[in-house]
Amino acid sequence: MTLRSLVATLALLVLAASPAHAAGTGSACHVPEAGHEGKVDIITPHITNGDHVEIPYWKFPFFLECTLPKWQPIHVGPLEIDLSPTKHVVMLWIGAALLFLVMLLVRRAHARAVTRGGVPTGGANAIEAMILYIRNEVILPNVGHHGEGFVPYLLTAFFMILTLNLLGLVPFGSTATGNISVTATLAILTFLTVEIAGIRANGVGYLNTIFYWNNELPAPMRPLMFLIMSPVEMIGKLTKPFALAIRLFANMTAGHIVVLALMGLIFEFGNLISGAPLVMATLIMVLELFVAFLQAFIFTLLSSVFIGQIREAHH
Amino acid sequence: MSNNPRPSSDSDPSSIGAAAKYAGLGFQLVGSILLFLYAGRWVDRRIGTEPLFLLLGVFTGLAASIYSMYRSLMADQRREAERQGGGTR
């Protein structure tokens, strides 16, 4: 019942949005012009953000290029911020909608199975297995006492990153997690979660994780060590989310570059030995499938480790 | 610690988690060296003692981040010993 109304709402939103988009400045789909001579860069357009999306088309070349609408930039003080949707923003929307739908279906299947007194089957069971594994083996052991409160955020981060990684592997898709802004936003969310968890767990003792004041040192050494060590502690605090953002971004981007470069070799070599790059590209693609899961897992694992670390900092 | 949420078996993810704490240490090392390097260069340019404070800054940053690393390792070791009741390591 709820699900049906939600789907209807989503459909209405999409319908309502599309004429609005068309009314904006130049949002149109067209068949891309063919016949480039000489060298063509196939890698850069695939891994960078842009104001175009590709949608499937039933005639050659089997895709349409759609220009996304351009919105008026908004002004925040002296800053001019362009909030127009881009390719990766569209992938974020698609990922969020997909995840929302899948999780609602899983929840419904689960509720139905529980009232019947059994367990859900098929996809719902698979998602449940993943949720339980992440919750019981990754989040709870690393976060520590009463870690249940962090499970919703960390599971959401896991499934969102996983969905975005996988959307980058389907045809016509693009990897939103291969955009440093997206991974930086995710890392900032983790950073805020970690710091707020630290403040809540340690109270005033939280200041010890930023400033270094060691009473065991001789008195004249204390201010000197305070001046030297406090910046190092702060840098340590900031480099953790920085490493999180870079790790996810670099892994997703690097995999796509490897696959695209191998595909490029097919055209470079011609018919003679094009089979070899094809096999390698296929195998790297399978590896990418694994990396999509692995990087989502690593992000969740590291986030929960950082939360656990700051929560037991006062011991 | 009666309600220790750690699973009874030493399953793989928790040991990955123990190692994962140190995943950002390299960035911390680089970051603190760079911070003290630029601070030293700034001081040098202010009072014209190039390259004294720049060099001092590099070594201070290196020493400070290694000391910070050492402290976090020692704290983890102490916690681990506490968790296992001060028994065998």
Side-chain angles (χ1 to χ4, degrees), chain A residues 121-310:
Chain A
T121 53
N125 199 337
I127 300 274
E128 188 189 336
M130 280 160 77
I131 290 176
L132 283 179
Y133 176 78
I134 297 286
R135 180 184 185 274
N136 295 340
E137 302 288 323
V138 177
I139 301 176
L140 293 185
N142 285 313
V143 169
H145 291 295
H146 307 296
E148 289 79 6
F150 296 97
V151 170
Y153 166 66
L154 293 167
L155 274 178
T156 309
F158 174 78
F159 281 105
M160 191 66 199
I161 294 170
L162 179 62
T163 311
L164 293 178
N165 289 353
L166 291 177
L167 274 178
L169 296 177
V170 298
F172 308 104
S174 174
T175 327
T177 40
N179 183 330
I180 190 74
S181 306
V182 174
T183 60
T185 308
L186 288 164
I188 287 170
L189 286 178
T190 287
F191 175 73
L192 291 179
T193 311
V194 168
E195 298 311 310
I196 290 169
I199 292 169
R200 286 186 59 185
N202 301 330
V204 184
Y206 167 76
L207 290 175
N208 282 331
T209 66
I210 306 178
F211 301 111
Y212 180 85
W213 190 264
N214 192 346
N215 280 323
E216 291 160 20
L217 291 171
M221 285 293 285
R222 285 176 210 166
L224 181 69
M225 287 304 276
F226 171 79
L227 280 180
I228 294 176
M229 293 305 290
S230 297
V232 175
E233 300 280 318
M234 283 179 219
I235 282 180
K237 216 181 243 307
L238 294 176
T239 48
K240 283 175 193 166
F242 179 73
L244 269 185
I246 296 289
R247 185 177 297 115
L248 183 56
F249 161 73
N251 273 288
M252 297 324 294
T253 307
H256 283 257
I257 291 176
V258 170
V259 170
L260 290 167
L262 286 171
M263 285 178 179
L265 284 185
I266 298 173
F267 300 101
E268 200 67 26
F269 285 167
N271 288 331
L272 194 57
I273 43 171
S274 65
L278 188 66
V279 169
M280 282 169 74
T282 312
L283 292 179
I284 294 287
M285 205 69 183
V286 176
L287 181 72
E288 276 302 286
L289 203 60
F290 168 69
V291 169
F293 281 85
L294 181 76
Q295 288 307 318
F297 172 79
I298 295 269
F299 191 95
T300 316
L301 173 73
L302 286 177
S303 297
S304 33
V305 166
F306 294 155
I307 294 171
Q309 212 175 6
I310 199 159

Side-chain angles (χ1 to χ4, degrees), chain A residues 7-197:
Chain A
V7 172
T9 317
L10 274 176
L12 264 177
L13 272 175
V14 169
L15 279 178
S18 29
H21 279 187
T25 47
S27 154
C29 299
H30 61 92
V31 181
E33 70 272 25
H36 285 290
E37 289 296 322
K39 297 213 186 303
V40 182
D41 184 2
I42 60 163
I43 294 181
T44 317
H46 267 95
I47 57 167
T48 50
N49 206 350
D51 57 354
H52 286 79
V53 286
E54 290 171 5
I55 59 168
Y57 188 48
W58 56 280
K59 272 196 305 203
F60 186 82
F62 305 113
F63 72 96
L64 286 179
E65 238 178 28
C66 295
T67 313
L68 291 164
K70 190 92 180 145
W71 294 346
Q72 286 297 318
I74 62 163
H75 295 269
V76 182
L79 293 172
E80 195 182 272
I81 304 171
D82 186 4
L83 289 177
S84 309
T86 59
K87 190 169 68 174
H88 288 155
V89 172
V90 171
M91 291 322 282
L92 281 168
W93 286 343
I94 293 173
L98 208 63
L99 198 56
F100 205 62
L101 211 64
V102 167
M103 287 301 163
L104 275 173
L105 284 171
V106 166
R107 181 180 168 276
R108 218 168 59 143
H110 191 263
R112 214 168 31 214
V114 166
T115 50
R116 216 180 41 228
V119 289
T121 53
N125 199 337
I127 300 274
E128 188 189 336
M130 280 160 77
I131 290 176
L132 283 179
Y133 176 78
I134 297 286
R135 180 184 185 274
N136 295 340
E137 302 288 323
V138 177
I139 301 176
L140 293 185
N142 285 313
V143 169
H145 291 295
H146 307 296
E148 289 79 6
F150 296 97
V151 170
Y153 166 66
L154 293 167
L155 274 178
T156 309
F158 174 78
F159 281 105
M160 191 66 199
I161 294 170
L162 179 62
T163 311
L164 293 178
N165 289 353
L166 291 177
L167 274 178
L169 296 177
V170 298
F172 308 104
S174 174
T175 327
T177 40
N179 183 330
I180 190 74
S181 306
V182 174
T183 60
T185 308
L186 288 164
I188 287 170
L189 286 178
T190 287
F191 175 73
L192 291 179
T193 311
V194 168
E195 298 311 310
I196 290 169

